[in-house]
Amino acid sequence: MKIVVTGGLGYIGSHTVVELQLLGYEVIIIDNCSNSSTEVLKGITAITGVTPHFEEFDLRDLAKIQDFFKRHTDIAGLIHFAASKAVSESVEDPLLYYENNVTTLIYVLKELQKLKNAAFIFSSSCTVYGQAENLPITENTPIKSSKSPYGKTKQIGEEIIKDTCKISNAINAISLRYFNPIGAHPSAEIGELPLGVPVNLVPFITQTALGLREELAVFGDDYPTKDGTAIRDYIHVVDLAKAHIIALEHLLNNKNKSNYEVFNIGSGTGTSVLQVIKTFEKITNRPLNYKIVARRKGDITTAYADTSKANITLGWTAESSLEEALENAWKWEQKIRKA
Ligand code: UD1
């Protein structure tokens, strides 16, 4: 079965391609390499023994998408990762985010609609909930208008898919709302490759541990939490990748009750920034250079998922521990800096 993975050279995309290929799916990656590299293909090949078909083009180019779908009429499903994802950049350049994340989604859906019964999986984010009133966060937790254009593109994206599914029998879709993906493939063949200074916590920790960054800044210890630092739900990227396959198969096997569904994908556990640091120090057996600084603007206090809907309906559960995720992230960081 042929599955298209847009953004398949990126962090979550590449791990999903690996899981698809391990199950025998024929994968076609579309990526514009704006935040990724074709080197990732080597890692995917090393793990799976198969080099996926790869087409380099930008999804903002409608003619290229149309040409792609003319050449591939036997697509069973499409997993749509291709998007920009930096919150602060989206505030600086909102039109770039609306064009990259919303326009491209519309183009892809327009072509997908022409196929029969195509399965569509969308990368959404727990960012759609903002700071939830009640925890853990379920899929029924109210959506709050996002403060960043990045967050808004995820909210708008979900609405676009929902409205399209209402009138179209041609598409069956699932939005997966990811909590905080971390870690790397246990083989250390693929992982996260942040450009420049990392924004996210775990790549900043591994780069600091390796001496690439002098010090980790912990953004705030005056939150109303146990140790004062903010709480997130960290999920191993391989567990997250597997959730995509299970969601895809849910649609391909016609197990879906409605042609549009939404699922939280997280570990279900809330972990503070200091707990992440302590766990990392235990794994590496050395202290991490960090200091407490002021809160980061726009950060929320606490977010963690109720994943029972995905557990029960999809039969998916996160399997890896925080320790494993951090161990894999550390192994990956050491490997890429040696190369
Ligand atoms: C961020 C994005 C979110 C996006 C997600 C993708 C923001 C405000 N949110 O989530 O929209 O979906 O990435 O992965 O950018 N921290 C530090 N020091 C650091 C880095 C982070 O203390 O150098 C803290 C943060 O304050 C936060 C936690 O670590 O409490 C996790 O941060 P991060 O990895 O950036 O993820 P989010 O902010 O949850």
Side-chain angles (χ1 to χ4, degrees), residues 109 156-168 173 175 177 259-260 262:
L109 288 175
I156 295 166
E158 287 195 14
E159 293 298 327
I160 290 172
I161 301 163
K162 193 159 75 181
D163 287 342
T164 307
C165 286
K166 261 186 215 155
I167 53 96
S168 171
S175 289
R177 293 178 180 157
N259 69 342
Y260 179 64
V262 174

Side-chain angles (χ1 to χ4, degrees), residues 92-153:
E92 302 293 320
D93 196 348
L95 291 180
L96 174 75
Y97 273 67
Y98 288 117
E99 191 179 28
N100 263 350
N101 296 8
V102 181
T103 307
T104 60
L105 171 67
I106 295 169
Y107 288 171
V108 167
L109 288 175
K110 268 185 159 177
E111 291 310 302
L112 211 59
Q113 253 192 147
K114 297 177 189 163
L115 305 177
K116 276 199 192 90
N117 236 0
F120 181 73
I121 309 292
F122 179 62
S123 292
S124 190
S125 166
C126 66
T127 200
V128 302
Y129 300 113
Q131 179 58 70
E133 308 281 331
N134 297 308
L135 293 156
I137 296 170
T138 73
E139 290 79 357
N140 295 325
T141 296
I143 303 288
K144 285 187 183 157
S145 173
S146 176
K147 290 194 185 94
S148 75
Y150 161 74
K152 283 183 191 147
T153 66

Side-chain angles (χ1 to χ4, degrees), residues 138-335:
T138 73
E139 290 79 357
N140 295 325
T141 296
I143 303 288
K144 285 187 183 157
S145 173
S146 176
K147 290 194 185 94
S148 75
Y150 161 74
K152 283 183 191 147
T153 66
K154 294 297 173 192
Q155 297 177 334
I156 295 166
E158 287 195 14
E159 293 298 327
I160 290 172
I161 301 163
K162 193 159 75 181
D163 287 342
T164 307
C165 286
K166 261 186 215 155
I167 53 96
S168 171
N169 293 324
I171 299 177
N172 287 294
I174 286 179
S175 289
L176 297 179
R177 293 178 180 157
Y178 316 152
F179 282 67
N180 290 53
I182 59 162
H185 196 271
S187 65
E189 293 290 350
I190 53 170
E192 194 170 4
L193 277 170
L195 284 180
V197 182
V199 177
N200 297 118
L201 178 64
V202 171
F204 209 106
I205 288 179
T206 53
Q207 289 197 11
T208 306
L210 214 57
L212 296 170
R213 311 274 153 216
E214 205 177 308
E215 180 176 68
L216 167 78
V218 173
F219 298 135
D221 69 348
D222 55 351
Y223 284 103
T225 60
K226 251 191 208 162
D227 62 24
T229 62
I231 290 176
R232 296 289 182 276
D233 180 331
Y234 297 94
I235 167 131
H236 196 301
V237 67
V238 173
D239 278 331
L240 176 56
K242 287 180 179 165
H244 288 79
I245 321 298
I246 292 176
L248 180 78
E249 291 181 340
H250 184 73
L251 298 178
L252 294 176
N253 298 329
N254 301 315
K255 288 192 192 149
N256 51 318
K257 290 207 177 76
S258 140
N259 69 342
Y260 179 64
E261 289 181 295
V262 174
F263 294 95
N264 284 342
I265 303 294
S267 69
T269 305
T271 308
S272 75
V273 176
L274 281 180
Q275 278 176 310
V276 175
I277 293 172
K278 298 289 166 219
T279 309
F280 185 79
E281 287 180 327
K282 201 172 83 195
I283 287 164
T284 54
N285 207 16
R286 54 173 153 171
L288 185 78
N289 195 21
Y290 71 89
K291 90 166 172 225
I292 311 286
V293 301
R295 292 182 183 192
R296 181 169 68 179
K297 203 168 157 259
D299 272 356
I300 54 165
T301 305
T302 303
Y304 56 93
D306 178 329
T307 59
S308 35
K309 188 177 174 202
N311 302 153
I312 295 162
T313 313
L314 298 177
W316 171 88
T317 324
E319 284 165 359
S320 301
S321 62
L322 178 67
E323 282 80 0
E324 280 171 89
L326 292 174
E327 248 167 44
N328 294 154
W330 179 227
K331 201 166 139 194
W332 165 248
E333 186 73 64
Q334 289 171 293
K335 178 180 165 190

